[in-house]
Amino acid sequence: MVKDKYEKLFALRGATGCSNTEQDIQDKVYELYEALLERNNLKEDQIVSIQFTVTPDLTALNPAAALRRSGKAQDLALFAAAEPIIEGMLPRIIRVLIHCYLPIDHRVQHVYINGAEVLRPDRVS
């Protein structure tokens, strides 16, 4: 990764809803990751790290493992954690935070899909 005066560290956010099956978690994590890369013209070698959180009702598959199973992020630092249990929280949600280097004038495109749009309607395009 080459960092210079034309690049800046950004934090991309996203979330997806899914059912509690290995296949659906795998599919939805892949879809979310690909959408973030595509919308931000991001390559994996620009990524520093990826952190996932999951609501406590998603137990079938770790989203970091799901991403690796898809063949993506093989050399990246991945981490997953449980969301805190909050009264009224939206169920069956996987959130992601990607730290990456992009051009200094980049306009970040966050991605909220599959029912997660209600979390940040201000960031849904």
Side-chain angles (χ1 to χ4, degrees):
M1 269 186 275
V2 175
K3 311 313 163 274
D4 60 31
K5 65 182 180 178
Y6 303 107
E7 290 186 324
K8 171 180 154 179
L9 182 64
F10 284 88
L12 305 180
R13 292 294 318 267
T16 186
C18 63
S19 62
N20 190 31
T21 67
E22 283 190 26
Q23 189 63 55
D24 201 44
I25 291 171
Q26 176 124 5
D27 292 346
K28 297 295 176 28
V29 166
Y30 180 82
E31 177 186 19
L32 178 61
Y33 183 71
E34 286 295 309
L36 280 161
L37 268 58
E38 181 180 318
R39 291 184 192 175
N40 288 283
N41 195 28
L42 178 64
K43 309 290 184 261
E44 285 194 334
D45 67 353
Q46 296 169 280
I47 297 173
V48 175
S49 64
I50 302 173
Q51 181 173 349
F52 292 97
T53 62
V54 295
T55 53
D57 48 5
L58 294 176
T59 58
L61 182 62
N62 180 315
L67 188 58
R68 290 219 201 278
R69 281 186 186 181
S70 75
K72 300 292 183 173
Q74 297 300 305
D75 297 321
L76 296 176
L78 304 181
F79 185 79
E83 282 282 328
I85 298 171
I86 306 296
E87 190 173 313
M89 69 190 303
L90 191 61
R92 296 179 308 280
I93 296 294
I94 297 173
R95 291 175 174 84
V96 67
L97 175 64
I98 299 177
H99 287 102
C100 60
Y101 284 96
L102 290 165
I104 200 162
D105 60 349
H106 182 75
R107 296 194 64 156
V108 171
Q109 298 295 311
H110 304 286
V111 176
Y112 292 83
I113 55 176
N114 300 314
E117 298 88 345
V118 299
L119 295 170
R120 292 302 305 260
D122 58 318
R123 292 191 171 173
V124 175
S125 57

